[in-house]
Amino acid sequence: MTYLVNGRSFDEEPRPGQCLRTFLRELGHFGVKKGCDAGDCGACTVWLDGRPVHSCVTPAFRAEDREVTTIEGLGSPGDLHPAQRRFRDAPGFQCGFCTAGMIMTSATFTEEQKADLPRALKGNLCRCTGYRSIEDAVRGLSAVETARPGRALGTSVGAPAAEDVVTGRAEFTMDTRMDGMLHLKVLHAPHAHARIVSVDRTAALAVPGVRRVYTWEDVPRRRFTTAIHTDHLVDPDDTYILDDTVRFAGQRVAAVVADTVGAAEEGCRRLEVEYDVLPAVFEPEEAMADGAPQLHGSEDPFVRDAVHNLLLEIHSHIGDVDAGFAAADVIHEGTYFSPRVQHAHLETHGSIAWMEDGRLNVRTSSQSPSIAKVKLAYLFALRPDQLRVFCKRVGGGFGGKQEVISEDLAALAALDTGRPVSFEYTREEEFTTASPRHPMKLTVKLGAKADGALTAFQVRNVSNTGAYGNHGGETLYAGGAAVMIYRCPNKKYDAYSVYTNTVPSGALRGYGMTQPAFAVESAMDELALALHMDPLQLRRRNIVRPGDPLVAMHDGPDDVMFNEDGLSKCIDLVAGSLARTADQPSPGQGWLVGVGVASSMHETAPPTEHISEAWVTLGDDLVYELAVGTVEFGEGTSTAHVQIAANQLGTTPSRIRLVQSDTDRTGFDTGAFASAGLFVAGNAVLRAANAVRDRILEFAASHAGVHVVMCSMDDDVVVCGDTGVPLAELVALARARGIRFTAARKAYGSPRSVVSNTQGFRIAVHPVTGEIRVLYSVQATDAGVVINPEQVRGQVDGGVAQGIGFALTENYQVDADGVMANPNLRNYRIPTFADVPRTELLLVGSSDSVGPMGSKGMAECCINPVAPALANALRDATGVRCRELPLTPERIYSRLGESRPARTGPAR
C-alpha cells in the first residue's frame, strides 16, 4: 500500500484496524497528537486530500493513494504557512498540545466559517486558552511584540518555542521513537474494595509479544505518596507501586509489558485474578460513622483515626464564635457542595524510561522532574547520580501532573528488562484513575450586625480525599484562604479529610481554595440578602486591608507580606465595569437577567518549602544560557524567565537560550505549581542574571580603567563611561585569563505575598429550560508589575473558562459502585468555543514587595471566584439559590418554581 504524506511517498502496510493517527506517528509525524482517540478533541486533525479529518477515528487504509498533510507539512520554522504565522503572532496557544489540530482545522476556513466560529471549531477543544486567543489567531489579530535590549519587562514577547509549537516540531513527552521499545499497560480493579487472593499470569504470558507481568509481589514494598511537595512529610506515605489490597475501582492490580500496546492490552485481559471483595464506603460522612468499612489499618502511622477513616482533621478558632453569634443581628447558615472535577489536560499522563550507561533515564509528563527523581530514587534504592528525570514540553497540567503516577511503573520495567519502556494513559484512565479535585461539602455560618459588620464566621469542611491521601491534608489547610479574606473577631474552622473507596483526589488549579470560595462567597451573598444590603457593600465593609492580620486558622505570625489594598481595588474595578455595561441587551423576551460578583485572595507560594535554582552563563557565541528546572506546560514561565534575564542583562530575549526541566542540566526546582514558577523560580533567574551582569560590569570596568558605576549593559556592548567595549572582546579577554561569566543563584518561597481578584458576570437565564447564557464576563486582578501583558490576559482567559466549565457543564458522574460513569470528553463536557465568553481583564496596577521585579504569579487564583459569581448571578436573575455544583439546566429548572425574593444585587 502506498501513502503520500507531506509530499513524500511511503510503502507501508497498516495493521488491521489501525487508525490513521497511530499510523502517522509511527512514520515519525509526531505533530499528530492523541487527546482522546474518540474524535472528541481534534488534537489529531490532519488533511486528507485537503480536507480536515480527525485521524484517530479515520482508518489508516482510507488514506491509501490519497494526499495526507500533517502540521509538519503545512510549513516549517522560517517558512510558516499563513495560519501558522497567525497562531504564532496572536499567540493562539499556551501549552500548545491542541495547536496543530487547531491550525489544521482553521487553515481551511472560508469567510463564512470564520463568521461562525462556535460551529466551525466545535470539533476542536482547548483546555488552556479559553479560546479568546485562538479566535484572535483565526481572525489575524496580532499581540506579540518585539522587545528592545534591556526593555523586555512589560512587553508581550512571544514564547521561546513559538515557531516549534505552530509547526509541530515542539516535542511533547511521547513524541519520540526508540529501538526496542516495550509498552506497558495496566489491569485495573473492577471492585471498589477487595483483597487480591491470587493472580494467574499463565494466559497473559502466553500472548505473543508479552514479556513481563508485574503484581504487588514483584515491586519494592515501600510506602510513598504520589503527591509532589518539597517536604514529603506533609503528605501521607499510604501508597505502594502495586498493592495486594485495592481501595477504589480502577486501582492498579497488575502491569503487563509487551512488544506492542495491543499485546500488552491483551495480556491484561488474559490475567485471571481472584478477589476477596470487601465492604466499601463512598461518602465521607458515612465513612466517618461508627462501624464504617475501614480503608487503612490502625497500624498505619499516617492515619489520624483509622476507625473513622480520617486522614486529617483540623480544629481551630480565634475569639469566641458563640459570643459572636449571640451578638449578631442576622445569622445565615447554609451547606454548599463542590463535586469532583477532572483536569482534562489534553496530553494524558505518560512516561518513557530506559537504561543508558548504567543510569536510569525517565522522560515524563510532570510538573516537577526534580521531586519525581527524589521519589524514584527512594522507591528503587538508587543514588541520585544513577538517575535522570526530565521533561520536554508538557501538554497541560493544572495540578494533575503534580503527582508521580506513571513514572514508577515505567522505571520498574526499564530497570528489570533493560529495554526502553513506554507507559501512556488513555483518556478513560485519566478520568477513572488520575486524581480529580477533592469533592468538598462546606457548611458556612455567618453572623453580622445590622450595618453588615461580621461578628462570627464558622466553617465546617468535609473533604473526600478518596482511597489515598495525596494532597488531602494540604488542600484542607489551603481552604483557610476563603476565611482569611474577611475581617471578623470570631472565627472557627473545623475540617476533615476523609478516606473513601473512590478515586484518590489531588491537586487542581485553585488547590483547595476553589471549593471554599464557592461556599463562602455564596454565603456572603445570602447574608447580604438577609441584611437587605448590596452584596458589594457587604464585602467592602468586611474585606481585609493592609494592616489587618490575615487570620484564618490561627492568629500567630507568618511569612506573608500584605502591603497593598488590591482586593478593594479589584471590587471597585469590577463594580464600575458592570455599571458601565448595564445596558447590554438580553438574548430575547422572557429571559431573566442577573449580575453576580465574587472575590478571592491567594498566597503567591505554598506554605510548604518551595525552592528553585537558576544558572546563567555567557557563552562564546554571546548567547546567554539560562538553565532553570521549571517545566513549561502553558503557564508561560519560560517566556517570563527569558524576559527577566534579558531585562537584567541589557539584551533581547532572542539572545537567551533556555535549558529547562532536566535534572542533569538544571538545578533543583520544586516545581511549577501554586504560581511558584514565576514567584520563586523567577526570583532565582533574577538573582542569577544580576550576578552575571555584575561580574561582566566589574570585569569591563577593570579593563577600561573606570569605576563600575560608569558601566552599563547595552546588548552586545558594555558602555564604560564614554567608551563602548564589545562584549565579544570582553569574553575573549576573560577566557584568556580563565574567567567565565557564569553564576548560580537560589530562591525560596518565603517571604510570600498575596494576589487578589474579583470576578463579575452578567447572565441571562431561560425560565423554561434553565439554560444560562453569559452576557458579560469581567475579572480584575492584582497581578503586580506585569512582565508579559498577553500572557497575563491568557491565564485569566483560561482560568475563567475552566471555572465556567466546573460551574456549568462538567459533571463527574459516579455510579452506585463508585465507578465514573462518563469517562470521556464527549460526555464529561469541558467547555467548547461556543461555551466561553470573552472576559474583560482589568489590572490593578500594583507592584509586589517580594516578587521578581514587582510581579506576582496569578495563574492559579483567577479560577476561584468564577463559580460563586455565576451562582450569585443566577440567584440575582431568578431568586433561585443553588448550593451545589454544577449549575445544570436540570438543576436550575427544578428550582425555578420557587418564589423569587426581591433583588439586592449590584446595579445593572
Side-chain angles (χ1 to χ4, degrees):
M1 301 176 76
T2 301
Y3 293 83
L4 186 66
V5 183
N6 298 332
R8 181 183 171 191
S9 181
F10 293 87
D11 292 323
E12 299 286 343
E13 185 82 18
R15 296 186 299 276
Q18 186 174 21
C19 71
L20 183 58
R21 182 191 71 81
T22 58
F23 182 66
L24 291 171
R25 286 180 64 84
E26 288 173 3
L27 293 177
H29 302 287
F30 294 115
V32 185
K33 304 302 184 194
K34 182 196 90 167
C36 65
D37 274 344
D40 295 335
C41 74
C44 67
T45 302
V46 300
W47 290 354
L48 204 54
D49 291 338
R51 296 176 62 86
V53 299
H54 288 186
S55 61
C56 70
V57 291
T58 301
F61 75 83
R62 289 189 180 172
E64 184 183 10
D65 296 326
R66 300 174 70 180
E67 185 177 356
V68 179
T69 307
T70 74
I71 189 69
E72 295 95 334
L74 201 62
S76 59
D79 185 24
L80 300 180
H81 183 278
Q84 293 171 316
R85 189 163 53 249
R86 290 194 294 268
F87 270 76
R88 178 198 65 186
D89 295 343
F93 65 91
Q94 285 182 22
C95 83
F97 198 80
C98 74
T99 305
M102 288 285 182
I103 291 172
M104 297 304 292
T105 298
S106 64
T108 65
F109 284 172
T110 64
E111 291 303 315
E112 182 181 1
Q113 287 174 304
K114 290 180 182 179
D116 190 8
L117 289 181
R119 176 178 293 275
L121 282 174
K122 66 180 181 180
N124 291 79
L125 297 177
C126 175
R127 191 57 154 169
C128 297
T129 65
Y131 300 101
R132 186 269 314 165
S133 63
I134 290 172
E135 179 180 10
D136 288 351
V138 173
R139 302 199 187 287
L141 302 178
S142 177
V144 169
E145 301 171 315
T146 301
R148 292 178 294 141
R151 297 291 185 272
L153 192 67
T155 304
S156 293
V157 303
E163 291 212 349
D164 286 335
V165 168
V166 300
T167 58
R169 270 72 174 178
E171 281 191 44
F172 291 81
T173 308
M174 311 309 289
D175 294 345
T176 187
R177 292 179 294 177
M178 301 182 73
D179 292 339
M181 182 178 285
L182 300 173
H183 299 270
L184 185 148
K185 298 301 291 185
V186 168
L187 175 68
H188 299 283
H191 306 294
H193 199 192
R195 290 189 186 92
I196 298 172
V197 177
S198 65
V199 180
D200 188 341
R201 330 174 188 215
T202 307
L205 289 170
V207 173
V210 169
R211 303 292 176 178
R212 296 286 193 279
V213 175
Y214 302 111
T215 71
W216 69 275
E217 297 173 299
D218 306 302
V219 303
R221 195 67 175 167
R222 290 194 168 194
R223 292 188 189 275
F224 75 112
T225 173
T226 61
I228 281 178
H229 289 109
T230 302
D231 182 1
H232 72 94
L233 297 176
V234 302
D235 305 301
D237 289 335
D238 60 1
T239 306
Y240 291 108
I241 297 174
L242 294 169
D243 203 352
D244 60 346
T245 299
V246 295
R247 297 176 174 88
F248 71 97
Q251 183 169 332
R252 302 167 172 180
V253 172
V256 176
V257 179
D259 294 340
T260 65
V261 172
E265 290 176 337
E266 181 61 20
C268 289
R269 287 189 287 267
R270 298 281 186 92
L271 288 170
E272 297 179 11
V273 184
E274 181 183 353
Y275 297 96
D276 176 15
V277 179
L278 302 172
V281 61
F282 305 119
E283 294 299 328
E285 298 283 3
E286 295 176 11
M288 287 193 290
D290 291 338
Q294 294 180 29
L295 273 73
H296 297 274
S298 57
E299 73 280 0
D300 293 343
F302 54 84
V303 179
R304 179 65 172 268
D305 180 354
V307 173
H308 299 99
N309 292 303
L310 282 170
L311 165 65
L312 176 72
E313 55 183 309
I314 301 170
H315 301 286
S316 65
H317 70 275
I318 296 112
D320 185 340
V321 292
D322 291 335
F325 286 122
D329 295 318
V330 173
I331 294 174
H332 164 73
E333 183 172 5
T335 298
Y336 306 83
F337 179 71
S338 295
R340 288 178 185 83
V341 173
Q342 234 289 327
H343 309 78
H345 34 69
L346 289 191
E347 180 201 42
T348 61
H349 286 84
S351 296
I352 300 171
W354 70 95
M355 302 300 295
E356 186 175 328
D357 298 327
R359 300 178 74 220
L360 174 64
N361 291 259
V362 180
R363 168 173 168 151
T364 185
S365 177
S366 172
Q367 289 177 232
S368 178
S370 292
I371 297 181
K373 175 179 176 177
V374 171
K375 288 184 181 291
L376 292 175
Y378 160 74
L379 286 172
F380 299 107
L382 299 173
R383 299 190 312 270
D385 64 313
Q386 294 177 300
L387 176 61
R388 174 197 180 201
V389 178
F390 68 100
C391 300
K392 292 295 187 177
R393 195 171 182 91
V394 173
F398 317 115
K401 293 170 181 174
Q402 195 185 335
E403 305 268 353
V404 172
I405 58 175
S406 64
E407 296 86 350
D408 53 349
L409 283 177
L412 169 77
L415 286 165
D416 179 43
T417 65
R419 291 174 59 178
V421 177
S422 170
F423 177 27
E424 183 177 17
Y425 272 44
T426 64
R427 179 56 59 186
E428 181 173 345
E429 286 174 320
E430 285 291 331
F431 278 114
T432 58
T433 70
S435 303
R437 190 193 296 285
H438 292 74
M440 289 186 183
K441 180 184 289 185
L442 293 104
T443 299
V444 181
K445 186 176 180 181
L446 302 173
K449 289 289 191 181
D451 64 357
L454 290 175
T455 61
F457 197 146
Q458 182 172 325
V459 175
R460 182 179 188 267
N461 183 357
V462 178
S463 173
N464 187 344
T465 195
Y468 297 96
N470 42 306
H471 298 283
E474 289 299 279
T475 52
L476 204 64
Y477 279 107
V483 180
M484 176 181 73
I485 193 171
Y486 295 110
R487 293 191 309 265
C488 184
N490 306 298
K491 292 183 178 182
K492 192 171 190 294
Y493 185 73
D494 297 297
Y496 307 84
S497 182
V498 187
Y499 287 114
T500 65
N501 293 112
T502 57
V503 60
S505 303
L508 204 162
R509 191 180 202 166
Y511 198 78
M513 287 172 277
T514 312
Q515 307 95 314
F518 170 66
V520 169
E521 290 299 289
S522 296
M524 286 294 287
D525 257 49
E526 294 200 68
L527 178 63
L529 178 65
L531 288 164
H532 305 289
M533 181 180 286
D534 186 305
L536 289 183
Q537 181 186 351
L538 179 64
R539 286 175 170 82
R540 290 189 182 102
R541 178 72 175 78
N542 291 286
I543 58 171
V544 293
R545 300 178 186 272
D548 293 336
L550 294 175
V551 174
M553 290 180 244
H554 64 83
D555 54 4
D558 58 34
D559 64 345
V560 179
M561 311 288 287
F562 180 41
N563 302 321
E564 297 169 332
D565 193 13
L567 184 54
S568 68
K569 294 176 182 176
C570 287
I571 291 173
D572 290 344
L573 285 170
V574 168
S577 184
L578 288 169
R580 173 174 50 81
T581 59
D583 59 350
Q584 288 179 323
S586 69
Q589 187 175 3
W591 287 78
L592 306 173
V593 177
V595 168
V597 175
S599 296
S600 69
M601 184 177 282
H602 185 277
E603 294 160 353
T604 53
T608 50
E609 188 174 349
H610 209 103
I611 308 169
S612 184
E613 183 175 12
W615 307 336
V616 174
T617 302
L618 176 58
D620 293 344
D621 57 358
L622 304 187
V623 172
Y624 297 91
E625 182 173 277
L626 168 61
V628 62
T630 308
V631 179
E632 177 61 60
F633 52 90
E635 79 282 19
T637 53
S638 296
T639 313
H641 291 166
V642 166
Q643 287 182 257
I644 291 169
N647 202 80
Q648 299 310 100
L649 293 164
T651 188
T652 60
S654 62
R655 285 187 51 212
I656 307 293
R657 179 170 56 243
L658 185 63
V659 176
Q660 61 188 141
S661 55
D662 186 332
T663 60
D664 270 11
R665 301 181 64 194
T666 61
F668 185 89
D669 186 275
T670 295
F673 52 85
S675 295
L678 176 66
F679 173 62
V680 184
N683 266 326
V685 170
L686 175 66
R687 294 168 188 174
N690 285 345
V692 168
R693 177 201 62 196
D694 292 346
R695 290 186 182 184
I696 294 171
L697 293 179
E698 289 167 3
F699 187 87
S702 176
H703 172 69
V706 300
H707 196 281
V708 69
V709 297
M710 300 176 65
C711 300
S712 61
M713 308 287 291
D714 187 10
D715 205 15
D716 58 357
V717 172
V718 177
V719 178
C720 299
D722 298 328
T723 304
V725 182
L727 197 57
E729 179 182 332
L730 293 173
V731 169
L733 287 170
R735 178 167 287 280
R737 300 183 195 176
I739 298 172
R740 294 179 67 214
F741 297 128
T742 185
R745 292 293 185 271
K746 294 180 181 178
Y748 301 85
S750 181
R752 301 171 292 152
S753 57
V754 295
V755 180
S756 303
N757 55 352
T758 298
Q759 174 71 39
F761 284 111
R762 178 173 291 104
I763 68 170
V765 184
H766 198 285
V768 175
T769 65
E771 177 189 356
I772 289 179
R773 292 188 186 177
V774 178
L775 305 180
Y776 179 62
S777 171
V778 58
Q779 185 168 127
T781 186
D782 171 23
V785 173
V786 174
I787 292 176
N788 189 305
E790 185 59 25
Q791 286 195 166
V792 168
R793 185 181 177 200
Q795 290 301 313
V796 171
D797 284 337
V800 173
Q802 281 188 327
I804 289 172
F806 301 163
L808 301 184
T809 66
E810 299 177 41
N811 201 349
Y812 195 110
Q813 299 175 15
V814 179
D815 67 17
D817 297 317
V819 179
M820 189 189 186
N822 55 326
N824 54 70
L825 293 173
R826 184 170 305 181
N827 294 324
Y828 177 72
R829 279 280 286 125
I830 71 171
T832 66
F833 184 97
D835 298 315
V836 181
R838 291 177 78 96
T839 293
E840 182 178 1
L841 172 63
L842 306 173
L843 296 173
V844 166
S846 60
S847 180
D848 192 53
S849 57
V850 293
M853 311 186 78
S855 65
K856 299 182 182 184
M858 42 61 63
E860 180 117 4
C861 59
C862 52
I863 196 171
N864 293 334
V866 174
L870 281 167
N872 292 339
L874 172 64
R875 193 225 59 86
D876 186 50
T878 66
V880 168
R881 168 60 62 181
C882 284
R883 295 177 178 171
E884 181 176 349
L885 296 175
L887 307 174
T888 60
E890 297 84 358
R891 186 166 283 155
I892 295 168
Y893 176 77
S894 69
R895 300 286 311 281
L896 280 172
E898 299 179 6
S899 60
R900 187 178 179 195
R903 294 181 184 273
T904 60
R908 285 176 288 287

